[in-house]
Amino acid sequence: MRDDICPKCSSGAVMAGVEVRDRGPNGPQPLRVRVEEPLPEKVPFFYVQGEALGTVRAWICASCGFTELYTDNLNALYEAYRKGTP
């Protein structure tokens, strides 16, 4: 839908890049993807676990309601994910 055409109904009435929110303990927050790097075998006395965050945005067809979600910061998310997979 990033071409502003709905793949389901072919409408051009697409709302692009709409922020997706979820209710958290401090009120509505943007929906995010979080990938944590794995812990090392021996955790040092002072250690901060690495992570990557991506914000989720929606492309929504105003005619039929079809919705696609996209996440940003893909390179950092994938690198953190790869560190945890063999």
Side-chain angles (χ1 to χ4, degrees):
M1 244 195 305
R2 289 201 170 189
D3 295 330
D4 295 329
I5 300 293
C6 176
K8 187 173 179 183
C9 73
S10 301
S11 171
V14 174
M15 297 177 277
V18 177
E19 184 177 65
V20 180
R21 290 184 163 247
D22 190 16
R23 183 164 304 277
N26 299 322
Q29 299 292 322
L31 191 60
R32 293 199 172 116
V33 174
R34 178 179 174 201
V35 177
E36 290 184 341
E37 295 178 0
L39 292 172
E41 288 184 29
K42 292 185 177 183
V43 179
F45 178 72
F46 180 76
Y47 179 76
V48 177
Q49 187 174 14
E51 68 176 21
L53 297 172
T55 301
V56 176
R57 295 217 171 253
W59 271 247
I60 305 167
C61 176
S63 295
C64 72
F66 182 76
T67 303
E68 289 182 349
L69 300 175
Y70 293 93
T71 305
D72 65 4
N73 202 23
L74 299 176
N75 289 336
L77 287 168
Y78 189 61
E79 286 303 314
Y81 172 80
R82 288 199 44 174
K83 289 179 181 179
T85 57

